[in-house]
């Protein structure tokens, strides 16, 4: 997994990641420019207006035109960033792909694991009930529900096909977590009592990281999962392998080996 991280932004494996990266670069570039500009101004002011013999401080303000123009210019450029970059990207990220085209999956966070629930080949999530939750059934999935028969539940491994939109329905069993897929440029807080959808589309296959980006307790640091992006045939084979004979107890799929 080390190869995906280095200096700068993590590897981008998402089709919409480049837009997010552009925004990050433009914002940081602009902030560096402002920082350096203010720093130069501060140093000039410190030297020019230092205490010297024969110079008297005055409280009368001198009005210059240039600072006003610069301030207005900065505000206009910030408005351009907001309207030209941030809003379109936010709209793209918040607009879910059509349900028929996307793979839908539930991710239920808990201290300190990601429970993952696939609807199986029928595309319908089986009912889950809090009363059925236990160590062997962390999602409380009701296996008597016909829609649940082919459902797949796994822990800490999210298998998805490459080049297909994936809608993740996020919820939490206990505290606030944050679902973070660095290579997909996805980070969304997971709030107890709410179901929050996010989506992404992988452009590259690989074994990536799921991190929790919210300090959620003492075991927060070990709340890590794997995002396994596969070719559609491999994903179908995985699904077919685990869907039909899945017992009520999870996990059912062998944990992938970490590639550090
Ligand atoms: Cu967490």
């Amino acid at each position: 997994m080390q190869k995906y991280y280095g200096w700068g932004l993590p590897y981008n494996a998402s089709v919409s990641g480049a837009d997010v990266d552009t925004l990050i670069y433009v914002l940081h570039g602009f902030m560096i420019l402002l920082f350096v500009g203010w720093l130069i101004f501060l140093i000039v002011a410190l030297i020019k207006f230092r205490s010297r013999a024969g110079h008297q401080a005055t409280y009368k303000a001198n009005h210059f035109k240039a600072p006003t123009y610069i301030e207005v210019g900065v505000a206009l450029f910030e408005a351009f960033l907001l309207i030209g970059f941030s809003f379109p990207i936010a709209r793209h990220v918040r607009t879910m792909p059509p349900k028929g085209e996307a793979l839908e999956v539930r991710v239920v966070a808990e201290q300190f694991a990601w429970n993952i629930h696939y609807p199986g080949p029928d595309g319908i999530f089986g009912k889950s009930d809090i009363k059925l939750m236990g160590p062997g059934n962390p999602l409380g999935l009701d296996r008597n529900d016909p829609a649940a028969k082919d459902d797949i539940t796994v822990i800490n491994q999210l298998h998805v096909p490459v080049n297909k939109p994936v809608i993740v329905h996020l919820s939490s069993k206990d505290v606030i977590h944050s679902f973070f897929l660095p290579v997909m440029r996805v980070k969304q807080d997971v709030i107890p009592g709410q179901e929050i959808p996010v989506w992404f589309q992988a452009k590259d296959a690989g074994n990536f990281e799921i991190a929790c980006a919210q300090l959620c307790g003492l075991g927060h640091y070990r709340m890590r999962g794997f995002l396994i992006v596969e070719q559609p045939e491999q994903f179908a084979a995985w699904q077919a392998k685990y869907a039909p004979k899945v017992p009520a107890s999870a996990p059912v799929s062998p944990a992938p080996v970490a590639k550090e």
Side-chain angles (χ1 to χ4, degrees):
M1 202 157 297
Q2 204 57 49
K3 65 179 171 177
Y4 300 116
Y5 300 97
W7 292 102
L9 294 173
Y11 180 74
N12 169 35
S14 157
V15 290
S16 39
D19 288 343
V20 177
D21 291 357
T22 305
L23 181 65
I24 291 172
Y25 285 129
V26 172
L27 283 178
H28 280 79
F30 184 53
M31 288 306 128
I32 289 169
L33 206 71
L34 283 184
F35 172 72
V36 172
W38 278 113
L39 203 66
I40 292 170
F41 172 76
L42 178 70
I43 292 165
V44 168
L46 279 175
I47 295 168
K48 200 168 173 204
F49 305 114
R50 70 190 184 279
S51 166
R52 279 169 291 172
H55 282 256
Q56 186 72 40
T58 172
Y59 296 100
K60 193 162 66 63
N62 278 326
H63 290 283
F64 300 104
K65 284 263 157 51
T68 314
Y69 292 144
I70 294 169
E71 287 287 339
V72 170
V74 166
L76 284 177
F77 189 70
E78 280 173 355
F80 163 72
L81 284 181
L82 203 61
I83 296 160
F85 285 89
S86 303
F87 286 172
I89 293 170
R91 211 175 119 227
H92 175 73
V93 168
R94 301 310 318 174
T95 311
M96 293 295 136
K99 290 217 168 193
E101 286 171 25
L103 169 77
E104 287 191 79
V105 57
R106 288 175 68 220
V107 172
V108 182
E110 70 171 89
Q111 289 172 318
F112 299 95
W114 302 102
N115 298 289
I116 293 158
H117 181 189
Y118 290 87
D122 69 351
I124 305 165
F125 289 108
K127 281 197 206 84
S128 52
D129 189 336
I130 197 162
K131 290 192 204 85
L132 300 171
M133 273 182 192
N137 188 2
L139 285 156
L141 188 62
D142 181 2
R143 288 287 176 188
N144 294 320
D145 178 20
K149 296 265 190 258
D150 64 346
D151 288 18
I152 307 173
T153 63
V154 279
I155 294 177
N156 289 335
Q157 44 174 308
L158 178 58
H159 285 255
V160 299
V162 71
N163 290 324
K164 184 178 173 139
V166 180
I167 301 176
V168 180
H169 300 276
L170 291 165
S171 56
S172 170
K173 281 162 72 172
D174 38 46
V175 300
I176 298 175
H177 299 272
S178 184
F179 181 69
F180 186 20
L181 305 176
V183 297
M184 296 298 160
R185 305 297 188 265
V186 166
K187 190 192 274 169
Q188 170 62 53
D189 274 6
V190 188
I191 316 288
Q194 287 190 23
E195 194 190 275
I196 304 172
V198 289
W199 77 278
F200 63 88
Q201 184 172 337
K203 69 175 173 67
D204 298 324
N207 192 347
F208 307 110
E209 179 189 26
I210 307 173
C212 181
Q214 186 68 260
L215 181 57
C216 56
L218 285 175
H220 161 71
Y221 69 95
R222 62 181 157 86
M223 189 162 168
R224 278 177 97 217
F226 293 94
L227 170 69
I228 301 131
V229 183
E230 299 168 310
Q231 296 305 326
E233 317 80 68
Q234 281 174 299
F235 175 74
W238 175 80
Q239 186 163 260
K241 190 174 173 192
Y242 292 103
K245 54 179 188 295
V246 110
S249 56
V252 292
S253 176
V257 181
K259 288 192 192 116
E260 290 295 341

